Amino acid sequence: MTRGSRRARGGTVRIAEHGGSCRKGLRKPKSLGSTTQTERGVLFMGRKVFLLVGFILVASLSAHAQDTVELFGGYSYLRVDNSPSANFNGWEFGGQYKFADWLGGVADFGGQYGSPEGVSTSVHTYLFGPQISWPARVSPFAHLLIGAAHVSGSGFSDTSFSTALGAGIDARLVPGIYWRVIQADYLATRFFSNTQNNARISTGIVFRF
């Protein structure tokens, strides 16, 4: 009996231990619950990181989109190669779209007016082409433009093919606004089947967006 009771007690002990082991096993759902909270925390942090990365990407794209469009307007002087040569004064307006920091496409329009030998005359140019530049606070540039030119006066007019090879310097005044210190162009025209080797000098304000 004593041994049996001992066995019973031992069995009881073993059952209790087994039951204790089962009760310990029932704690797993709590650990699963804590794992779920951890996963939720990881997901929450992941969302934060994702939003932060998205914000940085949008900000970088916005920064990259800046200074891709450029508008220029200002005064233009034209020395017309004629017989005799004549001085013309007027305006120049242009726009540039930058494909890269150093390369863009330019559309350039100008109008110059004078009175050679007392005859009121105007010259208008419509030019397009590539422009390269060095992106800096003081930014030199150079371009090669091709297009058309039109001359008109009292009782005459003509339109010809035109090219401009030139360079210049832009200096930043404030962010987004530059002063075109100088732009100098060799401007070739062929009015009335004759070649004119003209010189054009311009200055003005540049807006960059």
Side-chain angles (χ1 to χ4, degrees), residues 53-66:
V53 171
F55 175 78
I56 293 173
L57 287 175
V58 171
S60 63
L61 288 174
S62 299
H64 180 71
Q66 293 179 352

Side-chain angles (χ1 to χ4, degrees), residues 88-201:
F88 283 54
N89 297 280
W91 54 269
E92 183 180 350
F93 176 79
Q96 178 182 197
Y97 180 82
K98 286 194 172 183
F99 305 103
D101 290 339
W102 58 276
L103 176 64
V106 171
D108 181 274
F109 309 99
Q112 290 81 26
Y113 312 93
S115 299
E117 298 183 333
V119 179
S120 180
T121 307
S122 64
V123 176
H124 292 89
T125 53
Y126 314 90
L127 304 170
F128 308 88
Q131 178 168 292
I132 58 174
S133 59
W134 181 263
R137 187 179 184 90
V138 177
S139 177
F141 64 89
H143 54 223
L144 174 61
L145 310 177
I146 60 175
H150 180 78
V151 62
S152 62
S154 179
F156 66 91
S157 68
D158 191 27
T159 300
S160 79
F161 179 75
S162 179
T163 60
L165 176 63
I169 297 176
D170 292 340
R172 187 172 68 179
L173 301 177
V174 296
I177 301 178
Y178 287 69
W179 171 35
R180 181 151 295 176
V181 181
I182 188 171
Q183 175 182 318
D185 293 289
Y186 161 71
L187 181 67
T189 56
R190 284 191 55 81
F191 295 132
F192 307 106
S193 300
N194 295 313
T195 300
Q196 294 85 36
N197 300 307
N198 311 299
R200 182 177 68 173
I201 297 176

